[in-house]
Amino acid sequence: MAEQNMAMNAATIDTATGYSAPASISDTRVRRIFSEIASQYETFNRHSSFGRDQSWLHKLIDLAPIDSTTRVLDVAGGTGEVTFTACARKRPASVMLTDCTPAMLEVAKKRIAQGDACDVPVETKVVDAQDMPFEDNSFDVVTMAYGIRNMPDRTAALNEICRVLRPGGTACILEFTTPPNPIVRLGYRGYLRWAIPAWGQHYTGKRDDFVYLAQSIKAFPPQDQFAQMLLDAGFSDVSYHNSPLGITAVHTAVK
Ligand SMILES: C[S@@+](CC[C@H](N)C(=O)[O-])C[C@H]1O[C@@H](n2cnc3c(N)ncnc32)[C@H](O)[C@@H]1O
């Protein structure tokens, strides 16, 4: 029955399992988790990825067609890792940094005050990506890193991203994925199962939040399936670029 629920591609899922479930289960959990770990989030990322998180962010921004005229929307932007990487590397015209968890955006606001936006105008806003308050065709580029995996209504989020992009605009989405090499995949699954919760306990004292993190990565669709979801949302020119071990991938898609 559970398999059947997943195959039905139900409108909302439990993001820990991929199975059909009311959206409130995942929406409530994700807001609680990121409220709890906001202040340790970046340190955890740096250490648990052995510093690889920076090169993954660079790849995302390198693939994004951003120049000094580009209006960027950063969806599920959290503490601003993507936003500030974009500002430093490409100096866009503006960035709208959004997230559903106010505590994550509070960290981002401190980073803006410290100068991490490199004089690029960055506005922060509490926004649910599954129902955004922006006009149609408002942005040239939408970025999102490690956000879609946490959303119970991924169809709604991708439709919203497509809606707020101008025609010809590009969505660039970084997410943990399935390493194509079976040996890497096995090692990575072990790392997610044992090491990630242990790192999480060490940095935040919240082991269970990181059990969820590992579960959600395992339950996220592989690269081709996610590419199809982007096509179904109305995008064209969908492609993806795996990181060297295939632990993450950047999907790009044009409206
Ligand atoms: C793993 S963090 C990624 C943050 C940032 N993009 C980065 O690369 O560091 C996931 C973020 O997604 C946000 N998020 C989850 N569901 C969301 C939703 N429905 N709408 C907006 N943000 C959401 C969480 O609050 C959290 O800040």
Side-chain angles (χ1 to χ4, degrees):
M1 184 59 180
E3 292 291 344
Q4 233 177 7
N5 277 346
M6 186 141 81
M8 276 165 54
N9 200 9
T12 65
I13 55 166
D14 178 343
T15 55
T17 63
Y19 296 136
S20 174
S24 57
I25 293 174
S26 300
D27 280 335
T28 306
R29 178 178 53 215
V30 84
R31 283 165 175 76
R32 178 186 57 73
I33 290 176
F34 286 99
S35 298
E36 286 175 355
I37 68 171
S39 58
Q40 298 98 2
Y41 171 77
E42 292 180 0
T43 311
F44 169 80
N45 274 359
R46 231 41 108 248
H47 292 203
S48 65
S49 72
F50 302 103
R52 300 307 300 155
D53 60 323
Q54 292 300 295
S55 65
W56 298 334
L57 286 171
H58 290 177
K59 182 71 179 172
L60 171 69
I61 296 305
D62 289 350
L63 287 168
I66 296 174
D67 64 23
S68 60
T69 66
T70 310
R71 299 158 300 168
V72 177
L73 169 65
D74 188 14
V75 172
T79 60
E81 293 275 69
V82 173
T83 290
F84 300 128
T85 305
C87 291
R89 284 174 94 77
K90 294 211 165 155
R91 302 285 201 278
S94 62
V95 183
M96 174 64 74
L97 165 54
T98 62
D99 198 277
C100 69
T101 308
M104 294 290 274
L105 291 176
E106 288 306 316
V107 178
K109 286 182 198 164
K110 286 189 192 136
R111 292 190 57 181
I112 294 170
Q114 285 163 11
D116 288 1
C118 305
D119 294 329
V120 173
V122 175
E123 190 180 334
T124 61
K125 199 172 178 63
V126 178
V127 168
D128 184 338
Q130 300 157 122
D131 183 17
M132 294 201 267
F134 305 116
E135 299 286 318
D136 297 358
N137 313 323
S138 306
F139 299 96
D140 304 301
V141 166
V142 173
T143 55
M144 176 162 57
Y146 316 120
I148 190 75
R149 179 171 40 87
N150 293 297
M151 296 174 195
D153 194 343
R154 292 173 184 156
T155 301
L158 296 180
N159 287 342
E160 280 291 85
I161 289 170
C162 196
R163 180 184 67 75
V164 302
L165 267 175
R166 68 159 167 81
T170 305
C172 302
I173 301 177
L174 169 63
E175 195 46 88
F176 290 109
T177 45
T178 310
N181 180 311
I183 296 169
V184 176
R185 195 159 59 235
L186 197 66
Y188 180 55
R189 290 258 160 94
Y191 182 73
L192 287 177
R193 183 153 186 204
W194 309 111
I196 287 289
W199 280 107
Q201 172 66 28
H202 176 71
Y203 284 105
T204 70
K206 307 277 180 191
R207 188 179 187 284
D208 287 351
D209 292 355
F210 292 85
V211 171
Y212 161 74
L213 175 75
Q215 287 172 332
S216 68
I217 292 173
K218 200 169 162 219
F220 192 69
Q223 291 86 320
D224 285 330
Q225 215 173 307
F226 185 57
Q228 185 59 51
M229 290 171 73
L230 285 160
L231 290 169
D232 293 345
F235 287 100
S236 57
D237 294 339
V238 175
S239 61
Y240 63 82
H241 306 256
N242 286 332
S243 60
L245 289 177
I247 287 170
T248 60
V250 177
H251 283 72
T252 58
V254 178
K255 175 171 174 181

